[in-house]
Amino acid sequence: MRKFENYQKIYRYIAPLDCKHPDYRKCHQIQNLFLYFENYLNLTTNQWRRIANNMAELNLLPCSGKLVQEDLLVLLGDIHFMFISLEKAYKIAFRLLLLLDNKPLYEESRSSFLYTNIKQIRNCLEHMDENLTDKDTKNNYLIQSYSPYTNWFCQQWGTIVNDKIILGKYSYELSEASLSPVQNLYDSILKLIEEKYVLPNREVYDMIFKK
């Protein structure tokens, strides 16, 4: 799995040395956003490692029992936080693309099915508790404690089949390859920063900082 650690190599070349520079604030925004972009990508990677380990351990356990329930809860938490981190990474990427004046890539990524799918799955996870108490709109009755909906958590995690999580009409492949699009977006943003700031400023800034 990739680690994202380029911030320390490039941050000093982004912000102008003159605080009166017309792009001073914009460059500092790019600098800060890139740091947190890397942070959320690394959080996503860490969560994916945990998910992969959890699923491997679950495959070794019996089909039921206390250990399975405990591991499923851990898996639930890790999946939930992975989607939160993943969506945050995308949102920061979109802001960076606008600041870097690449509206075509912003519009393409922002409207992509992949991002919409991730956002909707995160939203399903975020509001899962509402399904335990809200009215069942299909049958028009309030969900009671004896309703099968009270086992909503267990039912949902039963929809993880062949490493794919399915929530309603949305699904996502829980695999390392599924993270490639946001990693490719990172590479595009890094290249834009290097072309626009790092390469033009490196020689002069290096001379200044070495003094």
Side-chain angles (χ1 to χ4, degrees):
M1 289 293 290
R2 290 182 61 179
K3 293 188 72 175
F4 301 89
E5 301 174 322
N6 285 296
Y7 172 79
Q8 293 297 333
K9 301 174 186 176
I10 66 171
Y11 78 93
R12 63 167 55 92
Y13 303 110
I14 300 173
L17 299 176
D18 181 3
C19 63
K20 294 182 180 179
H21 191 285
D23 287 336
Y24 186 79
R25 184 172 183 273
K26 175 182 177 180
C27 290
H28 272 284
Q29 288 177 323
I30 292 171
Q31 195 179 53
N32 291 334
L33 285 169
F34 189 74
L35 170 62
Y36 284 95
F37 187 28
E38 288 197 336
N39 286 343
Y40 276 110
L41 285 176
N42 286 324
L43 281 171
T44 301
T45 298
N46 290 340
Q47 289 305 116
W48 162 243
R49 286 197 187 102
R50 287 174 56 93
I51 290 166
N53 290 336
N54 290 343
M55 290 195 298
E57 290 177 3
L58 275 167
N59 288 334
L60 299 176
L61 294 175
C63 293
S64 61
K66 184 177 179 181
L67 285 177
V68 171
Q69 293 300 316
E70 290 175 352
D71 281 5
L72 281 171
L73 284 175
V74 172
L75 182 61
L76 161 65
D78 287 334
I79 290 174
H80 191 167
F81 191 62
M82 187 189 78
F83 277 103
I84 290 174
S85 300
L86 192 53
E87 187 186 13
K88 290 287 186 184
Y90 270 104
K91 285 184 174 180
I92 291 173
F94 299 152
R95 292 178 64 188
L96 279 166
L97 288 170
L98 289 176
L99 287 168
L100 292 165
D101 303 315
N102 195 319
K103 197 166 183 181
L105 185 54
Y106 162 79
E107 291 177 346
E108 177 188 338
S109 304
R110 182 69 178 77
S111 62
S112 68
F113 169 79
L114 178 65
Y115 171 66
T116 302
N117 194 50
I118 288 169
K119 182 174 68 172
Q120 293 297 341
I121 290 178
R122 192 277 308 154
N123 188 62
C124 287
L125 292 169
E126 202 74 25
H127 297 282
M128 61 171 61
D129 56 296
E130 295 170 8
N131 290 319
L132 300 176
T133 55
D134 285 356
K135 180 181 287 190
D136 180 341
T137 54
K138 181 179 179 181
N139 298 306
N140 198 31
Y141 66 84
L142 290 175
I143 298 169
Q144 304 296 327
S145 61
Y146 54 81
S147 164
Y149 285 91
T150 55
N151 293 321
W152 191 86
F153 287 91
C154 297
Q155 291 170 2
Q156 287 305 313
W157 302 119
T159 60
I160 297 180
V161 180
N162 296 327
D163 296 340
K164 178 183 286 188
I165 179 171
I166 303 170
L167 291 173
K169 60 181 179 180
Y170 306 103
S171 65
Y172 185 86
E173 194 75 32
L174 295 168
S175 68
E176 187 174 343
S178 295
L179 301 180
S180 294
V182 72
Q183 294 173 353
N184 293 338
L185 194 56
Y186 170 87
D187 291 335
S188 296
I189 288 171
L190 177 60
K191 184 178 179 181
L192 288 169
I193 292 174
E194 288 177 336
E195 291 175 348
K196 194 165 187 175
Y197 298 102
V198 179
L199 294 177
N201 294 331
R202 174 171 278 153
E203 184 176 355
V204 173
Y205 279 40
D206 282 350
M207 288 177 61
I208 293 171
F209 285 116
K210 284 179 181 177
K211 289 182 178 180

